[in-house]
Amino acid sequence: MPKVLIADEMSPRAAEILRARGLEVEVRPGLSAADLAAAVSDCEGLVVRSATKVTAAVIAAAPRLKVIGRAGIGVDTVDVAAATQRGVVVMNTPHGNAITTAEHAIAHMMALARQLPAADRSTRAGKWEKTRFLGVELTGKTLGIIGCGNIGSIVADRAHGLRMKVIAYDPFLSEERARGLDVEKLELDALLARADFITLHVPLSEATRNIIDAVAIAKMRPGVRIINCARGGLIVEADLMAALESGRVAGAALDVFAEEPARANPLFALEQVVVTPHLGASTGEAQENVAVQIAEQVADFLLAGVVSNAVNVPAVSAEEAPKLKPYMRLAELLGSFAGQLTRSGIRAVTIEYSGQVAALNTRPLTALALTGLLRPMLDSVNMVNAPLIARERDIKVTEIKRDEAEDYQTLIRLEVTTDCAHARRRRHHPRPRQAAHRRGQGYPRRGRARRLHALRDQRGRAGVHRAAGHRAGRGGRQHRHLPSRPHRPRQGRPGAGGRRPEGARRRARARAPAAPGGAGRAAVVLTVCRSLVVCAPFGPTVRPIIPGSPSCTTSVCSDERCWPPPSGWRGRCSSHPPTGGPKSRRSPRRSARSCRT
C-alpha cells in the first residue's frame, strides 16, 4: 500500500484519515534535512506545514514520491520547480485557513489604528497616558488590498462592514469579479497613492518579492499604515524601518518576517510597529481544517488519481473525474499516436476541442496529450512535467474550443507541426488539384471519418501522404475527415481514379518530396504546412491503434511501419510487392498480387 510521511506537527485527524483510507502513515515531525531525505526515500506521499523545507535534494532522494501536500496556503517552503521536473504533484489547501488569516489581518489593522499593543504595555507599567495614544477611525478610510484572491476577497468583505472604501491591485482580478466584490480595481502605483491602509495578500514569488521597497514607499501618501499577514519577503524591512523613523509611514503591523523565527529584528524596537509570531492561521478551526483537507487530497490522489488544489498541474475535482476519464484516455492515446509518427523536432501543438468536451476542464486533457506526444522521446515525462518540458523545448501549445462539432457530438483534434527535413523542397509540393491524380494509388477521396485509423501507401512511396493531406486538407487550410475504409480506385482513364502508366507513376514519385516520418510511415493526414493532424470522433468504437499495444493485432507484417488497417481491408507494407489496390467490398475475389504474408 502507498506510504505517506507526515513531517510536521498537525492535527492527529490527518493521520487518522489517511489510515482509514488504507494508507500506511508515518508521523515524524522535526526532522533535519538529511533525516528527512532518508525518511522519504520509500514514500509515495509527503505532508508538511511551514516548518519543513522540501528542497530539490529531498525530492531527488525520493524516487517513489508522487505527491507533496502542504497543509496551508503558501508553498514557498517547497521547491515547486524541482518537484515539477521530477513529475511530483504539489498540493496546498487555499481555503482551509482563508477566513482565519483574513480576520487576523483585520485585527492587525484595528490594533494599528488605535495603537492597542503600545497602550497595553503602558498601562501594565502603571502609566495612565490617555492623551498619548491618539488613534484614527476606520470608517471612511481607503483600504488598498494588494492581491485580491481567496484571503484578499474576504478582507474586502469585512472592510465593507467597517464602512471603508476598498481598492485593489491584482493582475488576475477580472473587472466582473471586481464589481462582484464591490472593489475598485487599480494599478499598483495608483493604489499606493490613494490608500490610507495597505494590506498584502499575495504569495511570495519572483514577481512579488520586495514589492514594497523604498521606491514604492515614496509613492505612498504620508501617514499610510501597512499590514502584512502574507509572506515576509514581500517588504524590504530596512526600507520600511527608514520610512517609519522619518514619519512617512505612520505604522506597520507585521505577522511575517524575512527570516523566521524572528528573534532579533530591528523593527521590534519601534513602538509604532505591531508584531506577532506568524499567527495568521493559528486557530483551532483552521488547524483542523487544513489537516483534514490535505489528508483527503493526498488520499484521493494516491488511491484514485484525483488532483485537487495542485499548484503545478491542472486540478481535477472529484465531480469532474468521472466525466473526464474517457476523454483523458483518448487524449493520451491521440498524443501517443502522433508521437510515434514524429521523427523530427516539434515546433507547435494545437489541440481543438469541439462539442460537449469543450464545456469541460480541458487543461488535464492537454497535459495528457502532451504526455503521450513526448513519451516516445522522453521516458520520464508525465502529466505534471509535460507542459514544462514543452515550454523548455520552445514548443508552442495552443488550445481551441468550439461549442459545436462538425458532424459529431464530441471531437478532439490534435495537430503537430514539426521541423521536417524536406522543408527546403517546399517548391515541389503538389498543388491541391494535383492530388486528384493520386486516387489510383489506393487512397480515399475526401469524405468523413467513422473511426480513427491509419492510412499507408502500398510500397512506401514518398509523397503519397502529402497528396492525401492535400486532398483531405485543401492545401492545409481546412481539414476534412477521411472515410473509415479506403476508396476503391476505379479502373479507367488516368486521372479519373484508374492506374496510370508506370512511367507516369515513376515521374510523380521523383517529383514528390520525402515523407516526413520516413518512407512507409503511417499517417492520418499530413498537410502542406508540415503538420500532422490526428482526429478522433469520440464514441464507443473509436480508439487509436498503437503499434506494440495489446490492440495491435495485425498479421500483415512485423515491421513497425505496418499499422493495423480498418476492418475488412488488409494493409500493405513497404517490404512486400505492390498490389492492385485494396480488396473490393463487392467482389469476394482477391487480387493475385495481394500481400498474403
Side-chain angles (χ1 to χ4, degrees), residues 137-454:
E137 291 184 352
L138 297 179
T139 301
K141 297 298 189 296
T142 299
L143 173 64
I145 301 176
I146 300 178
C148 201
N150 293 325
I151 298 175
S153 60
I154 298 174
V155 171
D157 179 69
R158 303 298 190 267
H160 285 133
L162 297 173
R163 301 296 188 268
M164 299 183 74
K165 179 176 177 56
V166 182
I167 57 178
Y169 164 71
D170 190 328
F172 304 102
L173 180 66
S174 65
E175 294 292 344
E176 182 179 358
R177 174 64 173 165
R179 288 192 296 270
L181 295 174
D182 194 18
V183 302
E184 183 182 357
K185 181 181 177 181
L186 299 174
E187 293 299 322
L188 181 59
D189 290 349
L191 181 145
L192 297 176
R194 289 178 50 183
D196 299 303
F197 291 82
I198 297 175
T199 179
L200 290 85
H201 299 285
V202 295
L204 181 61
S205 65
E206 292 303 319
T208 61
R209 187 181 300 274
N210 298 332
I211 192 172
I212 302 298
D213 55 5
V215 176
I217 292 173
K219 299 175 182 179
M220 299 178 185
R221 63 190 308 172
V224 68
R225 291 169 171 84
I226 301 173
I227 303 100
N228 184 16
C229 295
R231 287 291 177 265
L234 302 176
I235 299 177
V236 180
E237 294 177 353
D239 295 346
L240 176 61
M241 186 169 182
L244 287 166
E245 291 175 340
S246 66
R248 185 171 186 84
V249 176
L254 307 175
D255 185 52
V256 289
F257 302 89
E259 294 185 6
E260 295 183 4
R263 305 188 187 278
N265 194 302
L267 291 170
F268 294 169
L270 301 180
E271 194 175 63
Q272 61 269 44
V273 177
V274 178
V275 293
T276 51
H278 204 150
L279 300 178
S282 295
T283 62
E285 295 85 351
Q287 296 298 307
E288 188 80 6
N289 289 340
V290 296
V292 170
Q293 287 184 18
I294 200 62
E296 293 285 0
Q297 290 175 195
V298 170
D300 288 342
F301 177 77
L302 292 177
L303 298 177
V306 177
V307 182
S308 303
N309 298 321
V311 300
N312 63 338
V313 68
V316 179
S317 66
E319 294 78 14
E320 292 175 328
K323 299 178 182 178
L324 286 175
K325 185 176 180 180
Y327 298 108
M328 293 172 75
R329 178 62 176 159
L330 177 63
E332 185 174 8
L333 287 177
L334 279 176
S336 179
F337 185 91
Q340 293 179 70
L341 299 178
T342 303
R343 295 297 182 268
S344 57
I346 300 176
R347 295 170 50 193
V349 178
T350 302
I351 307 175
E352 181 179 334
Y353 302 98
S354 303
Q356 296 177 353
V357 70
L360 301 177
N361 178 14
T362 58
R363 291 184 62 198
L365 305 182
T366 300
L368 284 170
L370 291 174
T371 301
L373 178 65
L374 299 174
R375 186 164 289 159
M377 296 171 277
L378 302 169
D379 294 335
S380 60
V381 66
N382 60 21
M383 181 180 176
V384 178
N385 57 13
L388 175 64
I389 293 174
R391 287 194 298 269
E392 291 176 347
R393 292 171 176 252
D394 293 328
I395 299 174
K396 181 181 179 181
V397 180
T398 305
E399 275 192 22
I400 301 175
K401 291 186 178 183
R402 304 184 189 278
D403 294 334
E404 296 181 359
E406 295 175 354
D407 299 302
Y408 307 96
Q409 290 184 343
T410 292
L411 183 69
I412 298 178
R413 177 178 296 158
L414 173 66
E415 179 176 337
V416 180
T417 304
T418 62
D419 293 318
C420 298
H422 63 278
R424 60 182 178 273
R425 300 184 60 188
R426 291 178 64 184
R427 65 182 181 275
H428 298 301
H429 290 171
R431 296 178 182 177
R433 63 174 179 270
Q434 294 173 330
H437 299 295
R438 288 174 171 79
R439 295 176 187 169
Q441 298 180 0
Y443 278 85
R445 298 176 180 178
R446 188 173 58 194
R448 290 186 173 87
R450 297 304 175 190
R451 65 178 63 199
L452 178 66
H453 64 275

Side-chain angles (χ1 to χ4, degrees), residues 447-528:
R448 290 186 173 87
R450 297 304 175 190
R451 65 178 63 199
L452 178 66
H453 64 275
L455 300 178
R456 59 174 299 99
D457 64 345
Q458 299 164 359
R459 197 188 289 178
R461 288 191 286 259
V464 178
H465 300 318
R466 301 287 302 183
H470 276 296
R471 183 58 185 164
R474 288 292 186 185
R477 294 190 296 272
Q478 175 65 43
H479 173 71
R480 298 289 301 214
H481 304 299
L482 303 179
S484 59
R485 60 180 67 224
H487 170 70
R488 182 192 178 194
R490 294 182 299 171
Q491 302 298 326
R493 63 186 185 279
R499 293 178 58 83
R500 292 180 294 169
E502 180 62 28
R505 294 199 302 272
R506 186 165 53 252
R507 288 191 296 273
R509 291 196 300 271
R511 289 194 302 267
R521 295 294 182 188
V524 175
V525 172
L526 191 61
T527 68
V528 70

Side-chain angles (χ1 to χ4, degrees), residues 2-8 10 14-15 18 23-32 35-49 52 54 58 62 65 67-69 294 298 302:
K3 182 179 179 181
V4 178
L5 173 65
I6 299 179
D8 276 329
M10 63 182 63
L18 292 171
L23 301 175
E24 181 182 353
V25 182
E26 185 176 356
V27 182
R28 297 181 61 184
L31 294 175
S32 64
D35 293 338
L36 177 63
V40 79
S41 60
D42 60 342
C43 295
E44 286 80 10
L46 175 63
V47 178
V48 298
R49 291 219 61 195
T52 298
V54 185
V58 172
L65 190 63
V67 58
I68 299 173
I294 200 62
V298 170
L302 292 177

